[in-house]
């Protein structure tokens, strides 16, 4: 199955009342583990990549990995998505090299600048048949003070989201509703009513950033309030690093990298499957 766009994959999620997991990968091994899990569970999938990973491996190589895996597992609807793209040139490179979805994150800039940069990306993406995600409000790191993260002035408003979506035509929108990137040091106050109001105001699909550390009931409430795409990054990175530390302790004499690869693939797969179960997307591959 060829790579799909967010519009293709999230339309079914909205109609079916579930969310699609968007899992950030950091190398080819991790991508394979995530895609293989999607195939084993018959789940639609969004493979996400952050800009530092694109800088390390190149947008062309990453696109090649994704196309090869989509051919190996042809029955899985899969999106290759650039997460938190801030450099327009990198975004355009991904579009040229066959990525089928990108995010333009200009949320730290004034709304007018956010709209202008999003429109620039949209123009190139539409010509190439690529979907676009944008962000409104400020979704901070967990390192930022919770009072600041959840201050109303930094959260998305339905009227601003409507204006942004009308002016840009983005396919998906990540509104700031109280989540944060990283591993929570406190219990986030999720403004699910805000999410519901935004979801009912705009046509764009709703995206939740900062999924690592949320509880199953949090995810289920977010989905009920309109979440269609849920991002998981930190948990995937943690599983890899924890596995690496454990393996070094339990197998200090091992000189075969393949032994480690097998262990970490299983651990990432188990984690991804758990999230897919919570999101309700298992068995939803069309």
């Amino acid at each position: 199955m060829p790579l799909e766009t967010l519009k293709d994959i999230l339309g079914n999620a909205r109609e079916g009342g579930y969310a699609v997991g968007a899992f950030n990968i950091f190398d080819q091994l991790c991508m394979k583990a995530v895609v293989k899990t999607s195939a084993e569970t018959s789940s639609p999938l969004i493979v996400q990549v952050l800009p530092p990973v694109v800088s390390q491996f190149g947008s062309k190589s990453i696109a090649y990995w994704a196309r090869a895996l989509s051919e190996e597992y042809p029955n899985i609807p899969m999106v290759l998505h650039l997460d938190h793209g801030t450099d327009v040139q990198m975004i355009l490179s991904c579009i040229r090299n066959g990525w089928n979805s990108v995010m333009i994150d200009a949320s730290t800039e004034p709304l007018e600048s956010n709209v202008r940069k999003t429109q620039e990306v949209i123009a190139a993406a539409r010509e190439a048949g690529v979907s676009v995600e944008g962000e409104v409000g400020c979704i901070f790191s967990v390192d930022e003070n919770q009072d600041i993260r959840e201050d109303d002035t930094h959260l998305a408003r339905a009227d601003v989201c409507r204006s942004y979506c009308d002016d840009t035509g983005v396919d998906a929108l990540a509104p700031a509703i109280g989540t944060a990137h990283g591993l929570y040091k406190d219990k986030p106050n999720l403004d699910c009513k805000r999410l519901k109001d935004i979801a009912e105001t705009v046509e764009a699909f709703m995206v939740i950033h900062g999924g690592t550390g949320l509880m199953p009931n949090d995810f289920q409430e977010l989905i009920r309030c309109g979440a269609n795409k849920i991002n998981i990054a930190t948990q995937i990175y943690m599983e890899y690093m924890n596995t690496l530390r454990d393996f070094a302790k339990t197998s200090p004499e091992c000189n075969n990298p393949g032994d480690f690869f097998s262990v970490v693939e299983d651990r990432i797969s188990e984690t991804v499957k758990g999230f897919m179960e919570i999101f309700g997307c298992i068995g939803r591959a069309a």
Side-chain angles (χ1 to χ4, degrees):
M1 179 179 290
L3 296 175
E4 302 196 8
T5 66
L6 290 182
K7 186 175 181 180
D8 297 326
I9 208 167
L10 296 183
N12 291 334
R14 176 181 280 172
E15 292 178 6
Y18 61 92
V20 177
F23 300 99
N24 285 69
I25 62 93
F26 45 80
D27 64 8
Q28 190 175 9
L29 170 68
C30 184
M31 184 187 286
K32 181 180 179 182
V34 171
V35 175
K36 185 178 178 182
T37 304
S38 176
E40 290 173 349
T41 59
S42 190
S43 303
L45 174 67
I46 300 168
V47 175
Q48 292 196 153
V49 189
L50 285 164
V53 180
V54 178
S55 296
Q56 182 173 24
F57 293 105
S59 61
K60 183 178 291 186
S61 293
I62 295 171
Y64 176 82
W65 303 345
R67 284 195 295 271
L69 285 167
S70 71
E71 292 174 3
E72 185 174 353
Y73 300 100
N75 297 323
I76 300 303
M78 184 172 82
V79 175
L80 176 62
H81 179 73
L82 175 66
D83 191 22
H84 286 290
T86 57
D87 179 352
V88 172
Q89 291 308 309
M90 176 181 283
I91 295 172
L92 296 179
S93 171
C94 289
I95 292 173
R96 287 194 301 270
N97 284 315
W99 295 50
N100 53 332
S101 188
V102 294
M103 178 185 185
I104 167 64
D105 182 1
S107 59
T108 60
E109 302 182 25
L111 181 63
E112 295 76 11
S113 178
N114 191 354
V115 168
R116 185 172 61 255
K117 286 191 174 182
T118 305
Q119 289 173 334
E120 180 182 354
V121 170
I122 286 280
R126 289 291 178 263
E127 187 174 340
V130 172
S131 58
V132 178
E133 175 185 333
E135 182 174 322
V136 171
C138 293
I139 303 175
F140 292 99
S141 162
V142 294
D143 295 327
E144 188 59 76
N145 184 280
Q146 186 174 18
D147 292 339
I148 295 176
R149 297 197 322 253
E150 297 173 358
D151 186 283
D152 191 68
T153 59
H154 296 134
L155 299 180
R157 297 201 330 253
D159 61 329
V160 175
C161 291
R162 180 174 61 236
S163 176
Y164 172 81
C165 290
D166 287 347
D167 289 342
T168 63
V170 290
D171 301 288
L173 176 67
I177 61 160
T179 57
H181 298 110
L183 186 62
Y184 293 104
K185 304 170 185 176
D186 43 46
K187 180 175 174 55
N189 296 311
L190 306 181
D191 195 336
C192 292
K193 182 181 183 305
R194 185 182 298 267
L195 174 65
K196 187 172 186 295
D197 290 343
I198 296 170
E200 292 176 346
T201 301
V202 305
E203 294 184 6
F205 299 107
M206 292 291 102
V207 182
I208 301 299
H209 286 242
T212 296
L214 298 183
M215 297 294 103
N217 60 305
D218 293 327
F219 289 122
Q220 289 155 11
E221 180 63 18
L222 289 168
I223 293 170
R224 281 193 292 269
C225 290
N228 312 118
K229 171 178 178 277
I230 300 177
N231 292 8
I232 303 293
T234 301
Q235 189 68 44
I236 303 298
Y237 284 33
M238 287 172 54
E239 293 299 336
Y240 184 93
M241 295 307 298
N242 288 336
T243 304
L244 178 61
R245 284 186 280 265
D246 292 344
F247 190 84
K249 291 178 182 178
T250 59
S251 305
E253 303 300 322
C254 180
N255 292 314
N256 181 6
D259 291 346
F260 168 71
F261 293 160
S262 178
V263 173
V264 76
E265 181 178 330
D266 288 345
R267 191 153 169 177
I268 290 173
S269 177
E270 181 180 352
T271 299
V272 168
K273 182 179 179 181
F275 280 114
M276 288 175 168
E277 289 175 346
I278 294 171
F279 300 160
C281 60
I282 287 182
R284 301 281 191 166

